[in-house]
Each structure stands twice: as structure tokens, then as C-alpha cells.
Amino acid sequence: MFNFEDYAKSAFTVDNIIFGFDQGELKILLIKRGEPPYTNQWALPGNFVYPNEDLDAAAERVLGELTGLKDVYLEQVRTFGEVNRHPLGRVITVAYYSLVKIKGYNLKGTSPLSQKAKWVSIENATNLAFDHDQIFEACFRRLKRRVRTRPLGFELLPRKFTLTELQQLYEAILQPEKKIDKRNFRKKILSMKILVDLNEAQEGVAHRPAKLYKFDKKKYEKFVAEGFNFEI
Amino acid sequence: MFNFEDYAKSAFTVDNIIFGFDQGELKILLIKRGEPPYTNQWALPGNFVYPNEDLDAAAERVLGELTGLKDVYLEQVRTFGEVNRHPLGRVITVAYYSLVKIKGYNLKGTSPLSQKAKWVSIENATNLAFDHDQIFEACFRRLKRRVRTRPLGFELLPRKFTLTELQQLYEAILQPEKKIDKRNFRKKILSMKILVDLNEAQEGVAHRPAKLYKFDKKKYEKFVAEGFNFEI
DNA sequence: GCAAAAGTGTTCTCGGTACACCCATGC
DNA sequence: GCATGGGTGTACCGAGAACACTTTTGC
């Protein structure tokens, strides 16, 4: 006879890779582990899923406890469940990634973990605890693909941004196909008509100030409904 | 203090959507449930993941028990873990899909479940048990996307096939953008140089017999290594 | 000889890519 | 006035899309 308890011997968790863009670099938020296993190694932020909690909600909670942010872009990527991936027992983890705007927010987490968190540029995000290298790879690959067909880039930029910032963001994500032609990039992105020229300019820069734009989500959604496809 | 057992109260399963192509139609293998909940409703093939079993292995086992097949294309899609998706308790399920060649094989499963399995054309695969409609949707969407950038179609066809069969397969998957131009399709697929003309022809058809081709996987992999991108 | 599907080329359009110089500001 | 990044237009090429008739077989 089938007995539910016989199969309920596994734990499951979510890991949430939190991407941010700062100083022209793509970064993720890592946590320095304070206890075994993998003490003192960097790890992805994650947590167990509570018994009455949906998976997405758990990922949002991890993000919230760490940064104080909510309502950010969140996407499930893939589930990692190799038998021996966790030394303490059978632990299946569902991997997510989030996109947050670093600038203009003081990230403050509520959990003690947030003390041990640090933004690390993606080139340096190696040698992570558990199978987190693999998880990071999978999520970053997904982001690279997704960002070309969905207007996700704006989730990583401040509300007002310049076209050069936007281009640098794409270059940071799509590396090493790093070299995007400035004129072609602008022609393409402006031809989509999903950016609004704010008629404002950068201030305090030692060169010709750039114009500021914002992303017009309403317009984007209207175009999509009409069959438009974002594509970079 | 952290106690592993406190969190190990959930069960997890895999569901595996098995796609096949037959009579010009895309079909999936469904199981008629013989017990509650959802008695007599159609459901996706699935099973609990054994404590010492990797997720992929569990999905392969589900496939094997049902069809006797192994070494087929298998891809993880997404994990469904809503708190109340299963009436018996908290059950998280990892969704997979497989692509199998129906023709030329007598599918014979080892499990008693295989008696209750049936190939159902995807248009009729609705009103499934649990949240399986949703799971099917997600997997079918993934297949639609994937099939345009990876040579997966061949996994669903017999080893030798005609160009018309290949085109019909794409039309079945990519519906409702159903109308593909014959000349353009052939020009494109042949220009990739990944098909081998077998110098054989169909037999016993009441019209001009079509030439038979096979997919050259070696060549495809060589081209990919050189930077080639499959794209339909 | 008729029904049924196989096979085959050309033209047009549009989007992608390559490419170099002047402009506005801070110091 | 000089250093720094901002901003702009054109020409070429190749891929995708549209489109109709002849060929080969079974009956």
C-alpha cells in the first residue's frame, strides 16, 4: 500500500541568484558561510522552503530577507537534485534568479545573513560551496538568453538611464560577444519606440552630457499584444 | 538549532511528458488513473523520486517502465510546487519531457500502468488530473521554442524520413503558425548540410515516391563546434 | 489518363552590419 | 584648448518570404 510518509524524506530548498549592475559590471550577491559544511566559502543565498510556502514565495523571501527588496523580477531556472549534492542529506534545490536595481537603494536585509553578504562581480564568482558553480552557470546562461528576447535589462538599471549605460549593460551580460556597435545599437533600441526621452541630461560629467531615458512598460506591453517581438 | 528532519516532510516526484509523432499528429502518452484522487481522469506519467535516485534517472525510469525505451532525448523543464497542488500532502514535482520514435517500435512497458496508457493527440490532451494541464502547457511551450534552435525534430521521426514528413512534423509542433512554404523549408534545411540523402525512395505510395534522408549527427556536432547555429 | 504528392528557382524586401567624424561639457 | 565620452547617417549584403508549374508513381 502506498504510504505518503515513506516518500517524504527529502528536504527542498530554493537558491536565488541576485543579479545587479554597478560600475559597468554585472554582479551577484554572495554569502560567506559561517558554519559547516563549506565554512568560509562563498555560497548562493538560499533557504529551505517552508511547508506552507509556495516555491516562488520562498525565493522572494530569500531576496527580501537579504536586501529588503520586493516586487523584483524573479524567474525559476532549473532544479538540482543529485543524490549527493548536499552532505547533510537528500536536498533538492530549485534555482531562481532575480534582477535588482543596485543604485539608489540602500540594501538592508533583516536576516543576520545579510551581514555576510557581498556583491561580487561575476568573473570572480567561482569556487562556490556545494554545486553552486553549476547553478550559477545555469542561471547566467538563462539570463543571457532571456535578455535578448525580453526587456529585462531595465530591471537592472535605475529608472533614468543613458543609452550608453544600457549598451554597457548588454555588453556585460552578453560577453564575450562584447563589442556592440554604438550606432547600430541606438538605431535598433530607439526604433522599438519603448524608451521615453525624458528631456533631461546627465549632470556633473566632464564631457558632453548624455540624455536620460526611461523604459515605457505600458507601451511595450501594448506592442507585444500587437505582435511585436523584442529582440537584441 | 537546525534540524534536518524538520524540513524533510515533503515528497517529490517527476512527471514526464512523452511526445511522439504519428500519422502527422503530435501526441503524448497519458495514463488513465485507477485510484483516487482524480479516478478515471487522464494524467501525465510520473512517479516519486526514490531516495537514492537522481532526478534525471527518475524521469528515465518513468519512461522505461512505460515504454521499454531508454536513451531517448530528455529535458527538464520546470518545477511545480504550489502548496495545494496535491490533495495527499505537499508534493513538489519536477517536469520533464521526452521525445520518442513511435514508429517501428512496439512500446511495451514493464509496469502495470502501461496497460492504462494511451497516445493522445495534443489537441485532446486537456482536462488532465492535478495541475497537469499547466505542466503540459509549460512543456509544450518549451518544446516549441527548443525545436527551432536544436535539431530535436529528428528524435521524433524514424531513422529514415522524407522531407515532407520532416516539414509536417515542424508544422505539427509550431502550430498555429502552421503554413510553412515547401520550397523555402527544403532550401533551408538542405543548405545546413546535416541531412544525408540515402538514395532510397519511398515504396508503395500512389504518387511519385519521395527520397529518404537521415540526420547526420556527427556532421551537426562538427558544424556546431565551428560556430554553426541550427535555426528554423 | 487521372489523382496525388514530389520536386524545383527567381525576385523582392528588409534587417543586420560595417564604418568615421563633429559636438558639448569640465577642467 | 584639450580631454572625454555623446551623438549621428549611409551603403552593402544576405536571409527570409512570396509564389506556380512539371514530374513520377499507382490504379
Side-chain angles (χ1 to χ4, degrees), chain A residues 2 4 6-12 35 47-56 76-84 88-92 94 96 142 145-146, chain B residues 2 4 6-12 35 47-56 76-84 88-92 94 96 142 145-146:
Chain A
F2 167 70
F4 182 79
D6 293 346
Y7 290 95
K9 291 202 172 127
S10 310
F12 60 99
E35 51 184 41
N47 208 329
F48 288 89
V49 178
Y50 297 155
N52 283 309
E53 189 180 39
D54 287 344
L55 297 175
D56 291 4
Q76 190 197 110
V77 176
R78 188 154 116 57
T79 295
F80 294 80
E82 240 183 84
V83 172
N84 292 314
L88 291 186
R90 185 75 195 270
V91 180
I92 282 88
V94 184
Y96 283 80
R142 171 73 67 94
R145 228 180 319 131
R146 195 63 96 221
Chain B
F2 166 70
F4 182 79
D6 293 345
Y7 290 94
K9 291 203 173 126
S10 310
F12 61 99
E35 50 185 41
N47 208 331
F48 288 89
V49 178
Y50 297 156
N52 282 310
E53 189 179 39
D54 287 345
L55 297 176
D56 292 3
Q76 191 196 110
V77 175
R78 187 153 117 58
T79 296
F80 294 80
E82 240 182 84
V83 172
N84 293 314
L88 291 185
R90 184 77 194 266
V91 179
I92 282 89
V94 185
Y96 283 81
R142 171 75 65 94
R145 227 181 318 130
R146 195 64 96 222

Side-chain angles (χ1 to χ4, degrees), chain B residues 16-166:
Chain B
N16 190 357
I17 302 195
I18 301 165
F19 284 101
F21 183 65
D22 188 30
Q23 318 279 355
E25 281 187 73
L26 191 64
K27 300 181 176 178
I28 63 173
L29 203 47
L30 292 180
I31 311 245
K32 189 141 197 179
R33 287 184 62 82
E35 50 185 41
Y38 298 100
T39 312
N40 286 326
Q41 257 186 279
W42 293 94
L44 299 173
N47 208 331
F48 288 89
V49 178
Y50 297 156
N52 282 310
E53 189 179 39
D54 287 345
L55 297 176
D56 292 3
E60 282 163 22
R61 176 170 54 78
V62 167
L63 175 74
E65 286 173 356
L66 212 53
T67 64
L69 299 175
K70 50 183 186 168
D71 297 323
V72 309
Y73 182 84
L74 180 77
E75 181 179 336
Q76 191 196 110
V77 175
R78 187 153 117 58
T79 296
F80 294 80
E82 240 182 84
V83 172
N84 293 314
R85 61 173 293 280
H86 198 298
L88 291 185
R90 184 77 194 266
V91 179
I92 282 89
T93 195
V94 185
Y96 283 81
Y97 73 91
S98 303
L99 305 179
V100 308
K101 304 178 200 292
I102 299 186
K103 273 189 195 157
Y105 288 91
N106 280 330
L107 304 182
K108 38 181 142 194
T110 57
S111 92
L113 269 188
S114 54
Q115 302 306 318
K116 311 196 142 200
K118 198 181 145 197
W119 287 102
V120 177
S121 136
I122 50 166
E123 293 100 62
N124 301 325
T126 52
N127 277 103
L128 306 178
F130 305 102
D131 53 357
H132 287 185
D133 282 334
Q134 212 187 114
I135 297 178
F136 167 68
E137 267 313 309
C139 290
F140 187 34
R141 237 182 297 127
R142 171 75 65 94
L143 173 63
K144 279 186 189 180
R145 227 181 318 130
R146 195 64 96 222
V147 88
R148 305 194 52 170
T149 53
R150 293 285 145 81
L152 298 188
F154 308 111
E155 307 288 338
L156 291 163
L157 290 176
R159 208 182 64 87
K160 305 177 179 186
F161 52 84
T162 69
L163 293 179
T164 300
E165 284 167 348
L166 184 61

Side-chain angles (χ1 to χ4, degrees), chain A residues 48-112:
Chain A
F48 288 89
V49 178
Y50 297 155
N52 283 309
E53 189 180 39
D54 287 344
L55 297 175
D56 291 4
E60 281 163 22
R61 176 171 53 82
V62 166
L63 173 76
E65 286 173 358
L66 212 54
T67 64
L69 298 176
K70 50 182 186 167
D71 297 323
V72 309
Y73 182 83
L74 180 77
E75 180 179 337
Q76 190 197 110
V77 176
R78 188 154 116 57
T79 295
F80 294 80
E82 240 183 84
V83 172
N84 292 314
R85 60 173 294 278
H86 198 298
L88 291 186
R90 185 75 195 270
V91 180
I92 282 88
T93 195
V94 184
Y96 283 80
Y97 72 91
S98 304
L99 306 178
V100 308
K101 304 176 198 295
I102 299 185
K103 273 189 198 159
Y105 288 91
N106 281 329
L107 302 183
K108 35 182 146 193
T110 57
S111 92

